[in-house]
Amino acid sequence: MRGKDNLRSAAEVLVDQLRIHGVRHVFCVPGESYLAVLDAFHDSDLSVTVCRQEGGAAMMAEAIGKVTGRPGVCFVTRGPGATNAAHGIHIARQDSSPLVMFVGQVARDTREREAFQELDYRAVFGSMAKWATEIDDPARVPEIVSRAFYTAANGRPGPVVVAIPEDMLVERVAVADAPPFTPIETSPGPTEMSRLAEMLGAARAPMMVLGGSRWSQEACDRLARFAEKYALPVCTTFRRGHLFDQTHLCYAGDLGIGPNPKLLERIKSSDLVIVIGGRLGELPSQHYTLFDIPRPQTQFVHVHPGAEELGRIYSPHLAIHATPTAFTAALEQLKFTRAPAGDAKAAHADYLAWTEKPTEQPGRVNFGAVVVWLRGNLPADAILCNGAGNFSAWVHRFFRFRRYGQFVAPASGSMGYGVPAAVAMKRLYPNRQVICFAGDGDFLMNGQEFATAVQYDLPFITIILDNGIYGTIRMHQEREYPGRIFATELRNPDFPAYARAFGGFGISVERTEDFPAAFGAAQASGKPAIIRLVIDPEAITPATTLAKIRAKALTEKNQ
Ligand SMILES: Cc1ncc(C[n+]2csc(CCOP(=O)(O)OP(=O)(O)O)c2C)c(N)n1
Ligand SMILES: [Mg+2]
């Protein structure tokens, strides 16, 4: 957009630049520090979602980055706006998701005086963001925004923070737009691929471990075809279950918190482990115990899009610097002198046995049974979101993800993620069914974004697991300090009434058998909905109870 002088304000250049880079959605909480950008949005065709808290806005943008592989974008105000948003920046960092956050900044001539809400964003986000910068010169907006997109999306993706001083935004400039950024697919070289073929051909019991970002449906399909051709077992890491069709005959299970012990045994006895896309962080590596550091005890291949991640913790027998998408394309061309002789049958049978039926639980609502019902009744392209808490263990274990991008949850273990992620997914895919699972603690960390769902008519269903405790912490407390309950109990609001107060639909479920009807009613309402499940706090994991954990800890203490 140009004025009569044929010039544009820096804010207009910035918004034009977003459109050129393919941005369709922006999430924001407004601030007087970037009014000029809001005004440029006024005449643009971007879909702008105004949120209730910057943490929510940043998580929404992160969720867009997570499923599309292209940077999600949010705008927040200086100082408290930016620090509120830190939540989403941290998730983007740990989950390797592309995100660009713009922060309104004080005017350039007041900087360094600790002006109103002034912060030094390079310092504040220095260790959290992949790049943190500030634009001083309006003529450099195209250059810096372009770099922000390249940086966020390529290599190992991550968050970029760009501070935009308010006086800079209103300056008018004649400047050419930068062209659209391009995602760069780093392809493996022929030498590494032939070495991989040799290693696979020689392996007795190989295992593929999928994680991280930079996947696509195409990449997942190619990997599945390769696994099927050679009967290679495949597992997925913490909260990356959507990278492999879990009903596929080669699916071996979820390598996260509380994994199937048989999966762990199988990985430990593998003579070749191929980690594709992920960092094999603390949770999937079972607190860094699964493989020796730095040199794993088994033949170890690491495929990662970030060169700096290869050899960072594990010194691999073969390192392949490639994006999962490019790597899986190369896999399809792989030539063997000796074809791999995998056997995924037993691994998949172990997975099915572990997940087929819900476990017995105290209380009248068995969440495992609810998840099993959902897995049989949700459409194949439904999207599931959640935050953090023990409740998510039932989703990881009993749901069966089929498609890429179907599971949107923080590998970083950040509470409060589910509702913002569901808002973002419903904005991105209005015609897909979106379900959010939230703990009672987890929900209220960003429950205010339920108002955003109502404001934009986003009818997703939030299932709140109301057990009256910060269950995860209570579980650890009983393990470490049995019987000494402290700061883990919750007195909750009436969640269905909360939903109704916001203009949504709310219902409580006290027995497993009442869930399908409640779900139907939530769907039929056509509104954002909350279904509260009354969960017995004793039902702390699918495998055990609080009383058992306490008793075990007391016995061990007394020994
Ligand atoms: C932002 C954030 N704060 C604190 C924690 C620590 N934490 C992890 S799980 C948890 C309790 C979750 O409680 P709830 O949502 O009720 O789920 P439950 O474990 O009871 O199923 C807490 C406090 C965290 N992971 N993230
Ligand atoms: Mg709870």
Side-chain angles (χ1 to χ4, degrees), residues 119-180:
L119 277 178
D120 174 350
Y121 300 100
R122 289 189 180 94
V124 170
F125 291 106
S127 67
M128 215 191 295
K130 204 172 162 189
W131 184 41
T133 191
E134 188 156 323
I135 309 181
D136 278 335
D137 178 356
R140 294 188 66 187
V141 168
E143 171 199 340
I144 291 172
V145 174
S146 172
R147 180 172 163 195
F149 275 74
Y150 272 105
T151 304
N154 285 317
R156 176 186 166 193
V160 169
V161 176
V162 183
I164 41 178
E166 60 183 46
D167 62 320
M168 188 280 296
L169 289 173
V170 296
E171 249 184 58
R172 301 183 73 75
V173 281
V175 62
D177 290 320

Side-chain angles (χ1 to χ4, degrees), residues 87 388-392 394 412-416 438-443 445 465 467 469-473 490 540:
H87 221 141
N390 267 29
F391 68 90
S392 65
W394 283 266
S412 74
S414 192
M415 290 170 75
D440 45 357
D442 173 50
F443 175 77
M445 285 214 181
L465 290 304
N467 59 0
I469 50 173
Y470 280 129
T472 309
I473 310 309
L490 297 172
I540 196 66

